[in-house]
Amino acid sequence: MEKSNFFALLSRMKLVQRWGLMRNTYTENLAEHSYETATIAHCLGLINNASGGTVDAARLAVMALYHDCSEIITGDMPTPIKYLNGSLKHAYKQVEAEAQELLLSTLPDELEGRFRDAFPGPDTDPYEKKLLKAADKLSAYLKCLEELSHGNHEFRDAAQKGLQDLNAMGLPEVESFLSCFLDGYGLTLDQLKIK
């Protein structure tokens, strides 16, 4: 195989800071967000399957790991700006797609095609896309709750909007996740008691 910089580029995810326009008590980077999104996406897939669905939970987790990789090149565009209007949203989606193609092009020829399935794309199942988006939004919502728990009211509006967006998705998997796991996020380490 030829030499490649793909994983050296991926390792830079830890350098991309999220929530750049907001005061943070704890700065979250892209690698942390992607990991959390992947674990949540996997869980949403498993919840779907426990209810008789057929989502590939492992593939969902892998897509979540790579869902924001284009930000290695573009940086993290704050959500209120990214979705300010339709033309800006469309333009940014194009920039993200081109950045993703640039990343994929750094792979050896033998692997490039195989890695395409790891990235969400136009051929991704629409319901899997919804679950992936929900996992992404859940991760952002949990970050907001963490900041609020530390007295940072800068995240109050983002938390309210995040919960509204999650509820508007109408996904039973999200309702199950929130019902089952949300309370634990407000507990201290001592309260989390591992059985």
Side-chain angles (χ1 to χ4, degrees):
M1 271 195 288
E2 63 195 83
K3 291 187 182 287
S4 169
N5 293 328
F6 181 76
F7 283 99
L9 285 163
L10 287 188
S11 75
R12 300 184 71 77
M13 289 174 72
K14 62 184 169 275
L15 304 176
V16 179
Q17 302 302 311
R18 292 176 42 83
W19 305 92
L21 297 180
M22 310 206 21
R23 182 174 33 83
N24 290 258
T25 59
Y26 172 79
T27 306
E28 178 185 56
N29 66 51
L30 186 59
E32 293 165 325
H33 166 69
S34 295
Y35 169 78
E36 183 174 54
T37 302
T39 60
I40 294 169
H42 185 248
C43 182
L44 295 179
L46 295 176
I47 291 170
N48 172 276
N49 294 337
S51 303
T54 58
V55 167
D56 184 343
R59 181 168 186 271
L60 200 57
V62 170
M63 285 192 301
L65 283 172
Y66 292 100
H67 83 284
D68 275 343
C69 281
S70 63
E71 292 181 13
I72 296 164
I73 295 169
T74 67
D76 179 43
M77 173 74 75
T79 298
I81 306 303
K82 192 187 304 186
Y83 299 111
L84 189 62
N85 62 50
S87 61
L88 192 56
K89 178 182 174 183
H90 177 72
Y92 191 72
K93 290 288 180 196
Q94 282 185 287
V95 169
E96 284 180 322
E98 288 183 32
Q100 182 173 301
E101 287 303 313
L102 279 171
L103 276 174
L104 286 167
S105 74
T106 68
L107 284 160
D109 292 340
E110 308 92 299
L111 295 178
E112 183 179 339
R114 296 173 190 272
F115 262 90
R116 285 197 179 277
D117 282 346
F119 286 77
D123 296 334
T124 304
D125 175 78
Y127 199 74
E128 286 183 356
K129 274 188 181 177
K130 281 185 181 181
L131 291 176
L132 181 57
K133 188 65 170 170
D136 190 29
K137 288 182 176 293
L138 277 164
S139 176
Y141 177 61
L142 294 171
K143 164 65 173 169
C144 292
L145 294 182
E146 179 182 24
E147 289 290 331
L148 288 171
S149 76
H150 293 291
N152 184 359
H153 299 290
E154 178 91 9
F155 281 77
R156 183 185 59 237
D157 293 345
Q160 289 172 351
K161 173 87 168 79
L163 186 57
Q164 287 172 355
D165 290 349
L166 285 165
N167 288 332
M169 294 182 91
L171 294 171
E173 296 88 348
V174 170
E175 291 175 30
S176 293
F177 183 91
L178 290 172
S179 173
C180 185
F181 298 109
L182 186 62
D183 290 348
Y185 283 90
L187 300 177
T188 66
L189 179 59
D190 291 331
Q191 294 169 327
L192 285 170
K193 296 178 188 161
I194 300 172
K195 296 179 184 177

